[in-house]
Each structure stands twice: as structure tokens, then as C-alpha cells.
Amino acid sequence: MSTFSDVPTALIVHAHPEPHSFSTAQMTTAARTLKDAGRHVDVLDLYAEGWAPVLHREQFASTEDRFKPQAEQMRAVREGTLDREVEAHLQRLLAADLLVLSFPMWWFSMPAVLKGWVDRVFVMGGVFGGEHGFFEDAALAGRRAMLLLTTGGSAEAFEPDGAFGPMDDFLFHIHRGMLEFVGYEVLDPVVTHKPTRMTDEERRVALERVETAVAEAAAGATTASIRP
């Protein structure tokens, strides 16, 4: 399988069904900022592309009587029989040295379509397991990833003594269980709170903060969380 080239490439995987949402505005701001920083930017809009998130046996050339998804992924990688769309997305993932996951926080996690993208594209045998290990030994070691998200909850609600508790607690399963697990160095998340209740000026400032954080990520710096 291919790996990323000398040309800095960022893959933005976006998961919001509304093209005029603030989440989408954050994504387009991030894409423009990365392009201005000299990176090749690949945007994968899951809703616009009609991504099918459910992993099932019919996506594999052949399976045993008992369907074992990761075993079938390993077999498909080995035999070159991965689903064509999954293979295309996997190659886009492997071509990028920076991954940005852009989404609204729904039920304190990512939307189902984005989780399904991880289920299908973080292929065992392709990015971890098999000839690859886990964490620092996984296939994506040496690359960086960050979350770019919105939430309807206030910044105060996500404080340690807030109504919900620390934001990091809710993002741990993504940071550690998905991104670090396959080798990424995880940058601090960019979080915008309650954008629907912001004034136009507050939204403008929030997008400027996104721009600053993403520019720092493009330059190789670890960003700070953005909480207007």
C-alpha cells in the first residue's frame, strides 16, 4: 500500500448533513487555512458522498460461515479484494500526514456516519494489526490527527465541575481508542461551543480562532482547545 509523499497532505473527513452549518463553515475555514499554508488538502464530505457507514459481510468477496469482520479485512488486504470505495478512502488516508475529523458532537460522540467510516476504513491489516502493530507500531505512526468539532453545550458545562464533566473524558475513546491506536500523534481538539446561540461577530471570532489553531497544526505545533 502507498504511503504519504514528500508533499504535505491533509485529509479532512467531514460529517455534517447541512452545508450551511457552522460545522461546515469550520471545515471550509480549516481547508482554506491548510491550503494557504502550502498543503495539499483532500476533503472527504461523508454526507455529500452518501457514505454507507454499516460494515457487513456482503462487502467482502468471501467469508467463513461465521462472519469475523477484522479477519475478513485482513484477508481482503492480503488478497487485494477490499471493497473498491473502502480501498479508495484507505489510500486517501495513507496519503495524508495530517488527518482532521470535522463533526458536530452528537450524544457526546461523533455522528454515526463518521464512526462507520472509521469502522470500514481503519482496516485491520491496513493501518494496524497483521504486519503492523498498535499505537507507536501501527501503520500511521509519525502522522498527526486533530478533531474539529462543535457542540451545543457551553464551555462551562464541560469543565470538571460542570454539568457534563471534562470534554477530554468524552473525546478519550476517539483520541486514544481510534487515533492513537493506529499510530497518530493526537493534537488538542478545536471545540466551538453553542455556535447557534452566537452573534455574527462571535461566529467570526470563532472562525478566526479555528484558522489560528489549524495554521499552528499545519506548522507542526500542538494547538490549544478553542472555547469561545
PDB file of all heavy atoms in Angstrom, residues 86-116:
ATOM      1  N   VAL A  86     -13.913   1.500  -0.126  1.00  0.00           N
ATOM      2  CA  VAL A  86     -13.080   1.454   1.072  1.00  0.00           C
ATOM      3  C   VAL A  86     -11.611   1.574   0.693  1.00  0.00           C
ATOM      4  O   VAL A  86     -10.845   2.317   1.323  1.00  0.00           O
ATOM      5  CB  VAL A  86     -13.338   0.161   1.865  1.00  0.00           C
ATOM      6  CG1 VAL A  86     -12.301   0.000   2.976  1.00  0.00           C
ATOM      7  CG2 VAL A  86     -14.743   0.166   2.450  1.00  0.00           C
ATOM      8  N   GLU A  87     -11.191   0.851  -0.333  1.00  0.00           N
ATOM      9  CA  GLU A  87      -9.802   0.916  -0.788  1.00  0.00           C
ATOM     10  C   GLU A  87      -9.433   2.340  -1.205  1.00  0.00           C
ATOM     11  O   GLU A  87      -8.354   2.838  -0.857  1.00  0.00           O
ATOM     12  CB  GLU A  87      -9.588  -0.038  -1.957  1.00  0.00           C
ATOM     13  CG  GLU A  87      -8.228   0.062  -2.627  1.00  0.00           C
ATOM     14  CD  GLU A  87      -7.080  -0.388  -1.740  1.00  0.00           C
ATOM     15  OE1 GLU A  87      -7.313  -1.179  -0.804  1.00  0.00           O
ATOM     16  OE2 GLU A  87      -5.936   0.059  -1.985  1.00  0.00           O
ATOM     17  N   ALA A  88     -10.328   3.025  -1.909  1.00  0.00           N
ATOM     18  CA  ALA A  88     -10.055   4.400  -2.337  1.00  0.00           C
ATOM     19  C   ALA A  88      -9.909   5.323  -1.132  1.00  0.00           C
ATOM     20  O   ALA A  88      -9.000   6.167  -1.084  1.00  0.00           O
ATOM     21  CB  ALA A  88     -11.174   4.889  -3.255  1.00  0.00           C
ATOM     22  N   HIS A  89     -10.785   5.176  -0.148  1.00  0.00           N
ATOM     23  CA  HIS A  89     -10.696   6.008   1.048  1.00  0.00           C
ATOM     24  C   HIS A  89      -9.444   5.667   1.855  1.00  0.00           C
ATOM     25  O   HIS A  89      -8.803   6.558   2.427  1.00  0.00           O
ATOM     26  CB  HIS A  89     -11.945   5.825   1.908  1.00  0.00           C
ATOM     27  CG  HIS A  89     -13.147   6.535   1.366  1.00  0.00           C
ATOM     28  ND1 HIS A  89     -14.148   7.042   2.177  1.00  0.00           N
ATOM     29  CD2 HIS A  89     -13.517   6.838   0.103  1.00  0.00           C
ATOM     30  CE1 HIS A  89     -15.078   7.616   1.442  1.00  0.00           C
ATOM     31  NE2 HIS A  89     -14.709   7.494   0.171  1.00  0.00           N
ATOM     32  N   LEU A  90      -9.098   4.398   1.920  1.00  0.00           N
ATOM     33  CA  LEU A  90      -7.893   3.994   2.634  1.00  0.00           C
ATOM     34  C   LEU A  90      -6.657   4.611   1.996  1.00  0.00           C
ATOM     35  O   LEU A  90      -5.756   5.084   2.698  1.00  0.00           O
ATOM     36  CB  LEU A  90      -7.781   2.469   2.653  1.00  0.00           C
ATOM     37  CG  LEU A  90      -6.516   1.880   3.291  1.00  0.00           C
ATOM     38  CD1 LEU A  90      -6.389   2.302   4.748  1.00  0.00           C
ATOM     39  CD2 LEU A  90      -6.533   0.357   3.175  1.00  0.00           C
ATOM     40  N   GLN A  91      -6.606   4.630   0.695  1.00  0.00           N
ATOM     41  CA  GLN A  91      -5.456   5.228   0.019  1.00  0.00           C
ATOM     42  C   GLN A  91      -5.386   6.727   0.282  1.00  0.00           C
ATOM     43  O   GLN A  91      -4.290   7.291   0.426  1.00  0.00           O
ATOM     44  CB  GLN A  91      -5.515   4.949  -1.484  1.00  0.00           C
ATOM     45  CG  GLN A  91      -5.286   3.484  -1.842  1.00  0.00           C
ATOM     46  CD  GLN A  91      -3.967   2.948  -1.308  1.00  0.00           C
ATOM     47  OE1 GLN A  91      -2.949   3.645  -1.322  1.00  0.00           O
ATOM     48  NE2 GLN A  91      -3.977   1.715  -0.823  1.00  0.00           N
ATOM     49  N   ARG A  92      -6.528   7.389   0.353  1.00  0.00           N
ATOM     50  CA  ARG A  92      -6.540   8.818   0.688  1.00  0.00           C
ATOM     51  C   ARG A  92      -6.046   9.047   2.114  1.00  0.00           C
ATOM     52  O   ARG A  92      -5.341  10.009   2.397  1.00  0.00           O
ATOM     53  CB  ARG A  92      -7.951   9.385   0.492  1.00  0.00           C
ATOM     54  CG  ARG A  92      -8.354   9.429  -0.971  1.00  0.00           C
ATOM     55  CD  ARG A  92      -9.842   9.633  -1.179  1.00  0.00           C
ATOM     56  NE  ARG A  92     -10.273  10.996  -0.901  1.00  0.00           N
ATOM     57  CZ  ARG A  92     -11.504  11.434  -1.144  1.00  0.00           C
ATOM     58  NH1 ARG A  92     -12.409  10.601  -1.664  1.00  0.00           N
ATOM     59  NH2 ARG A  92     -11.832  12.686  -0.884  1.00  0.00           N
ATOM     60  N   LEU A  93      -6.423   8.129   3.014  1.00  0.00           N
ATOM     61  CA  LEU A  93      -5.946   8.205   4.397  1.00  0.00           C
ATOM     62  C   LEU A  93      -4.433   8.025   4.451  1.00  0.00           C
ATOM     63  O   LEU A  93      -3.722   8.776   5.131  1.00  0.00           O
ATOM     64  CB  LEU A  93      -6.651   7.138   5.226  1.00  0.00           C
ATOM     65  CG  LEU A  93      -6.275   7.057   6.716  1.00  0.00           C
ATOM     66  CD1 LEU A  93      -6.778   8.279   7.471  1.00  0.00           C
ATOM     67  CD2 LEU A  93      -6.842   5.782   7.332  1.00  0.00           C
ATOM     68  N   LEU A  94      -3.927   7.032   3.750  1.00  0.00           N
ATOM     69  CA  LEU A  94      -2.496   6.739   3.774  1.00  0.00           C
ATOM     70  C   LEU A  94      -1.669   7.821   3.087  1.00  0.00           C
ATOM     71  O   LEU A  94      -0.471   7.951   3.352  1.00  0.00           O
ATOM     72  CB  LEU A  94      -2.230   5.388   3.106  1.00  0.00           C
ATOM     73  CG  LEU A  94      -2.780   4.158   3.831  1.00  0.00           C
ATOM     74  CD1 LEU A  94      -2.608   2.915   2.968  1.00  0.00           C
ATOM     75  CD2 LEU A  94      -2.109   3.972   5.186  1.00  0.00           C
ATOM     76  N   ALA A  95      -2.301   8.606   2.222  1.00  0.00           N
ATOM     77  CA  ALA A  95      -1.584   9.662   1.511  1.00  0.00           C
ATOM     78  C   ALA A  95      -1.386  10.920   2.356  1.00  0.00           C
ATOM     79  O   ALA A  95      -0.639  11.811   1.977  1.00  0.00           O
ATOM     80  CB  ALA A  95      -2.321  10.027   0.221  1.00  0.00           C
ATOM     81  N   ALA A  96      -2.070  10.997   3.509  1.00  0.00           N
ATOM     82  CA  ALA A  96      -2.075  12.226   4.311  1.00  0.00           C
ATOM     83  C   ALA A  96      -1.202  12.092   5.547  1.00  0.00           C
ATOM     84  O   ALA A  96      -1.231  11.072   6.233  1.00  0.00           O
ATOM     85  CB  ALA A  96      -3.506  12.574   4.724  1.00  0.00           C
ATOM     86  N   ASP A  97      -0.455  13.152   5.832  1.00  0.00           N
ATOM     87  CA  ASP A  97       0.325  13.177   7.067  1.00  0.00           C
ATOM     88  C   ASP A  97      -0.424  13.890   8.188  1.00  0.00           C
ATOM     89  O   ASP A  97      -0.014  13.840   9.340  1.00  0.00           O
ATOM     90  CB  ASP A  97       1.691  13.830   6.841  1.00  0.00           C
ATOM     91  CG  ASP A  97       1.574  15.291   6.456  1.00  0.00           C
ATOM     92  OD1 ASP A  97       0.933  15.587   5.435  1.00  0.00           O
ATOM     93  OD2 ASP A  97       2.129  16.146   7.165  1.00  0.00           O
ATOM     94  N   LEU A  98      -1.551  14.550   7.840  1.00  0.00           N
ATOM     95  CA  LEU A  98      -2.406  15.200   8.840  1.00  0.00           C
ATOM     96  C   LEU A  98      -3.846  14.806   8.550  1.00  0.00           C
ATOM     97  O   LEU A  98      -4.330  14.968   7.426  1.00  0.00           O
ATOM     98  CB  LEU A  98      -2.267  16.717   8.793  1.00  0.00           C
ATOM     99  CG  LEU A  98      -3.205  17.516   9.712  1.00  0.00           C
ATOM    100  CD1 LEU A  98      -2.918  17.237  11.184  1.00  0.00           C
ATOM    101  CD2 LEU A  98      -3.105  19.020   9.420  1.00  0.00           C
ATOM    102  N   LEU A  99      -4.532  14.278   9.565  1.00  0.00           N
ATOM    103  CA  LEU A  99      -5.943  13.932   9.459  1.00  0.00           C
ATOM    104  C   LEU A  99      -6.746  14.867  10.348  1.00  0.00           C
ATOM    105  O   LEU A  99      -6.429  15.047  11.526  1.00  0.00           O
ATOM    106  CB  LEU A  99      -6.167  12.481   9.907  1.00  0.00           C
ATOM    107  CG  LEU A  99      -7.622  12.016  10.026  1.00  0.00           C
ATOM    108  CD1 LEU A  99      -8.305  11.974   8.653  1.00  0.00           C
ATOM    109  CD2 LEU A  99      -7.704  10.652  10.711  1.00  0.00           C
ATOM    110  N   VAL A 100      -7.797  15.466   9.783  1.00  0.00           N
ATOM    111  CA  VAL A 100      -8.710  16.314  10.543  1.00  0.00           C
ATOM    112  C   VAL A 100     -10.102  15.702  10.468  1.00  0.00           C
ATOM    113  O   VAL A 100     -10.644  15.526   9.373  1.00  0.00           O
ATOM    114  CB  VAL A 100      -8.745  17.756   9.992  1.00  0.00           C
ATOM    115  CG1 VAL A 100      -9.731  18.614  10.793  1.00  0.00           C
ATOM    116  CG2 VAL A 100      -7.355  18.378  10.004  1.00  0.00           C
ATOM    117  N   LEU A 101     -10.666  15.353  11.614  1.00  0.00           N
ATOM    118  CA  LEU A 101     -12.038  14.865  11.672  1.00  0.00           C
ATOM    119  C   LEU A 101     -12.939  16.016  12.078  1.00  0.00           C
ATOM    120  O   LEU A 101     -12.805  16.570  13.174  1.00  0.00           O
ATOM    121  CB  LEU A 101     -12.167  13.709  12.668  1.00  0.00           C
ATOM    122  CG  LEU A 101     -11.322  12.466  12.378  1.00  0.00           C
ATOM    123  CD1 LEU A 101     -11.609  11.381  13.420  1.00  0.00           C
ATOM    124  CD2 LEU A 101     -11.558  11.924  10.973  1.00  0.00           C
ATOM    125  N   SER A 102     -13.854  16.396  11.208  1.00  0.00           N
ATOM    126  CA  SER A 102     -14.725  17.555  11.401  1.00  0.00           C
ATOM    127  C   SER A 102     -16.158  17.082  11.595  1.00  0.00           C
ATOM    128  O   SER A 102     -16.726  16.423  10.716  1.00  0.00           O
ATOM    129  CB  SER A 102     -14.623  18.464  10.164  1.00  0.00           C
ATOM    130  OG  SER A 102     -15.644  19.435  10.145  1.00  0.00           O
ATOM    131  N   PHE A 103     -16.762  17.458  12.738  1.00  0.00           N
ATOM    132  CA  PHE A 103     -18.099  16.930  13.027  1.00  0.00           C
ATOM    133  C   PHE A 103     -18.763  17.707  14.160  1.00  0.00           C
ATOM    134  O   PHE A 103     -18.097  18.351  14.963  1.00  0.00           O
ATOM    135  CB  PHE A 103     -18.012  15.451  13.410  1.00  0.00           C
ATOM    136  CG  PHE A 103     -17.176  15.162  14.646  1.00  0.00           C
ATOM    137  CD1 PHE A 103     -17.768  15.063  15.899  1.00  0.00           C
ATOM    138  CD2 PHE A 103     -15.796  14.999  14.552  1.00  0.00           C
ATOM    139  CE1 PHE A 103     -17.011  14.791  17.030  1.00  0.00           C
ATOM    140  CE2 PHE A 103     -15.028  14.716  15.678  1.00  0.00           C
ATOM    141  CZ  PHE A 103     -15.630  14.615  16.916  1.00  0.00           C
ATOM    142  N   PRO A 104     -20.102  17.605  14.255  1.00  0.00           N
ATOM    143  CA  PRO A 104     -20.807  18.095  15.428  1.00  0.00           C
ATOM    144  C   PRO A 104     -20.820  16.996  16.485  1.00  0.00           C
ATOM    145  O   PRO A 104     -20.943  15.809  16.151  1.00  0.00           O
ATOM    146  CB  PRO A 104     -22.218  18.357  14.899  1.00  0.00           C
ATOM    147  CG  PRO A 104     -22.394  17.319  13.826  1.00  0.00           C
ATOM    148  CD  PRO A 104     -21.027  17.124  13.200  1.00  0.00           C
ATOM    149  N   MET A 105     -20.705  17.365  17.736  1.00  0.00           N
ATOM    150  CA  MET A 105     -20.818  16.365  18.799  1.00  0.00           C
ATOM    151  C   MET A 105     -22.286  16.024  18.991  1.00  0.00           C
ATOM    152  O   MET A 105     -23.100  16.874  19.360  1.00  0.00           O
ATOM    153  CB  MET A 105     -20.213  16.894  20.108  1.00  0.00           C
ATOM    154  CG  MET A 105     -20.392  15.933  21.265  1.00  0.00           C
ATOM    155  SD  MET A 105     -19.593  16.495  22.788  1.00  0.00           S
ATOM    156  CE  MET A 105     -17.942  15.836  22.534  1.00  0.00           C
ATOM    157  N   TRP A 106     -22.622  14.756  18.731  1.00  0.00           N
ATOM    158  CA  TRP A 106     -23.980  14.256  18.929  1.00  0.00           C
ATOM    159  C   TRP A 106     -23.935  13.171  19.988  1.00  0.00           C
ATOM    160  O   TRP A 106     -23.165  12.216  19.887  1.00  0.00           O
ATOM    161  CB  TRP A 106     -24.539  13.681  17.618  1.00  0.00           C
ATOM    162  CG  TRP A 106     -24.866  14.719  16.587  1.00  0.00           C
ATOM    163  CD1 TRP A 106     -24.886  16.066  16.737  1.00  0.00           C
ATOM    164  CD2 TRP A 106     -25.214  14.471  15.215  1.00  0.00           C
ATOM    165  NE1 TRP A 106     -25.236  16.695  15.567  1.00  0.00           N
ATOM    166  CE2 TRP A 106     -25.444  15.738  14.610  1.00  0.00           C
ATOM    167  CE3 TRP A 106     -25.361  13.313  14.451  1.00  0.00           C
ATOM    168  CZ2 TRP A 106     -25.815  15.865  13.269  1.00  0.00           C
ATOM    169  CZ3 TRP A 106     -25.741  13.450  13.114  1.00  0.00           C
ATOM    170  CH2 TRP A 106     -25.964  14.699  12.534  1.00  0.00           C
ATOM    171  N   TRP A 107     -24.753  13.299  21.004  1.00  0.00           N
ATOM    172  CA  TRP A 107     -24.779  12.331  22.094  1.00  0.00           C
ATOM    173  C   TRP A 107     -23.372  12.092  22.642  1.00  0.00           C
ATOM    174  O   TRP A 107     -22.961  10.960  22.875  1.00  0.00           O
ATOM    175  CB  TRP A 107     -25.460  11.020  21.652  1.00  0.00           C
ATOM    176  CG  TRP A 107     -26.925  11.212  21.414  1.00  0.00           C
ATOM    177  CD1 TRP A 107     -27.562  11.293  20.212  1.00  0.00           C
ATOM    178  CD2 TRP A 107     -27.928  11.396  22.406  1.00  0.00           C
ATOM    179  NE1 TRP A 107     -28.905  11.512  20.381  1.00  0.00           N
ATOM    180  CE2 TRP A 107     -29.161  11.581  21.734  1.00  0.00           C
ATOM    181  CE3 TRP A 107     -27.923  11.429  23.806  1.00  0.00           C
ATOM    182  CZ2 TRP A 107     -30.361  11.786  22.407  1.00  0.00           C
ATOM    183  CZ3 TRP A 107     -29.121  11.640  24.474  1.00  0.00           C
ATOM    184  CH2 TRP A 107     -30.318  11.816  23.774  1.00  0.00           C
ATOM    185  N   PHE A 108     -22.639  13.199  22.794  1.00  0.00           N
ATOM    186  CA  PHE A 108     -21.300  13.182  23.392  1.00  0.00           C
ATOM    187  C   PHE A 108     -20.310  12.327  22.604  1.00  0.00           C
ATOM    188  O   PHE A 108     -19.335  11.822  23.154  1.00  0.00           O
ATOM    189  CB  PHE A 108     -21.356  12.720  24.856  1.00  0.00           C
ATOM    190  CG  PHE A 108     -22.206  13.608  25.720  1.00  0.00           C
ATOM    191  CD1 PHE A 108     -23.470  13.195  26.132  1.00  0.00           C
ATOM    192  CD2 PHE A 108     -21.752  14.850  26.115  1.00  0.00           C
ATOM    193  CE1 PHE A 108     -24.265  14.028  26.923  1.00  0.00           C
ATOM    194  CE2 PHE A 108     -22.533  15.682  26.908  1.00  0.00           C
ATOM    195  CZ  PHE A 108     -23.791  15.275  27.307  1.00  0.00           C
ATOM    196  N   SER A 109     -20.538  12.191  21.311  1.00  0.00           N
ATOM    197  CA  SER A 109     -19.625  11.425  20.473  1.00  0.00           C
ATOM    198  C   SER A 109     -19.716  11.960  19.043  1.00  0.00           C
ATOM    199  O   SER A 109     -20.273  13.030  18.804  1.00  0.00           O
ATOM    200  CB  SER A 109     -19.973   9.934  20.526  1.00  0.00           C
ATOM    201  OG  SER A 109     -19.013   9.157  19.839  1.00  0.00           O
ATOM    202  N   MET A 110     -19.174  11.212  18.100  1.00  0.00           N
ATOM    203  CA  MET A 110     -19.224  11.595  16.705  1.00  0.00           C
ATOM    204  C   MET A 110     -20.496  11.045  16.050  1.00  0.00           C
ATOM    205  O   MET A 110     -21.075  10.064  16.520  1.00  0.00           O
ATOM    206  CB  MET A 110     -17.985  11.068  15.964  1.00  0.00           C
ATOM    207  CG  MET A 110     -17.784   9.566  16.074  1.00  0.00           C
ATOM    208  SD  MET A 110     -16.440   8.916  15.046  1.00  0.00           S
ATOM    209  CE  MET A 110     -15.036   9.840  15.631  1.00  0.00           C
ATOM    210  N   PRO A 111     -20.958  11.657  14.954  1.00  0.00           N
ATOM    211  CA  PRO A 111     -22.114  11.118  14.240  1.00  0.00           C
ATOM    212  C   PRO A 111     -21.853   9.695  13.746  1.00  0.00           C
ATOM    213  O   PRO A 111     -20.710   9.307  13.466  1.00  0.00           O
ATOM    214  CB  PRO A 111     -22.278  12.082  13.058  1.00  0.00           C
ATOM    215  CG  PRO A 111     -21.639  13.358  13.520  1.00  0.00           C
ATOM    216  CD  PRO A 111     -20.485  12.925  14.375  1.00  0.00           C
ATOM    217  N   ALA A 112     -22.920   8.918  13.593  1.00  0.00           N
ATOM    218  CA  ALA A 112     -22.798   7.512  13.200  1.00  0.00           C
ATOM    219  C   ALA A 112     -22.074   7.346  11.870  1.00  0.00           C
ATOM    220  O   ALA A 112     -21.313   6.391  11.681  1.00  0.00           O
ATOM    221  CB  ALA A 112     -24.182   6.870  13.136  1.00  0.00           C
ATOM    222  N   VAL A 113     -22.291   8.279  10.936  1.00  0.00           N
ATOM    223  CA  VAL A 113     -21.659   8.145   9.628  1.00  0.00           C
ATOM    224  C   VAL A 113     -20.138   8.220   9.733  1.00  0.00           C
ATOM    225  O   VAL A 113     -19.413   7.524   8.999  1.00  0.00           O
ATOM    226  CB  VAL A 113     -22.204   9.205   8.639  1.00  0.00           C
ATOM    227  CG1 VAL A 113     -21.743  10.602   8.991  1.00  0.00           C
ATOM    228  CG2 VAL A 113     -21.841   8.846   7.208  1.00  0.00           C
ATOM    229  N   LEU A 114     -19.637   9.016  10.674  1.00  0.00           N
ATOM    230  CA  LEU A 114     -18.191   9.126  10.854  1.00  0.00           C
ATOM    231  C   LEU A 114     -17.638   7.913  11.587  1.00  0.00           C
ATOM    232  O   LEU A 114     -16.570   7.390  11.226  1.00  0.00           O
ATOM    233  CB  LEU A 114     -17.847  10.415  11.607  1.00  0.00           C
ATOM    234  CG  LEU A 114     -16.363  10.694  11.839  1.00  0.00           C
ATOM    235  CD1 LEU A 114     -15.562  10.653  10.536  1.00  0.00           C
ATOM    236  CD2 LEU A 114     -16.182  12.051  12.532  1.00  0.00           C
ATOM    237  N   LYS A 115     -18.350   7.440  12.608  1.00  0.00           N
ATOM    238  CA  LYS A 115     -17.919   6.207  13.274  1.00  0.00           C
ATOM    239  C   LYS A 115     -17.901   5.048  12.273  1.00  0.00           C
ATOM    240  O   LYS A 115     -16.997   4.202  12.283  1.00  0.00           O
ATOM    241  CB  LYS A 115     -18.849   5.885  14.436  1.00  0.00           C
ATOM    242  CG  LYS A 115     -18.557   4.554  15.139  1.00  0.00           C
ATOM    243  CD  LYS A 115     -17.120   4.402  15.610  1.00  0.00           C
ATOM    244  CE  LYS A 115     -16.941   3.245  16.583  1.00  0.00           C
ATOM    245  NZ  LYS A 115     -17.347   1.942  16.015  1.00  0.00           N
ATOM    246  N   GLY A 116     -18.891   5.006  11.389  1.00  0.00           N
ATOM    247  CA  GLY A 116     -18.927   3.963  10.377  1.00  0.00           C
ATOM    248  C   GLY A 116     -17.789   4.076   9.382  1.00  0.00           C
ATOM    249  O   GLY A 116     -17.315   3.063   8.848  1.00  0.00           O
TER     250      GLY A 116
END
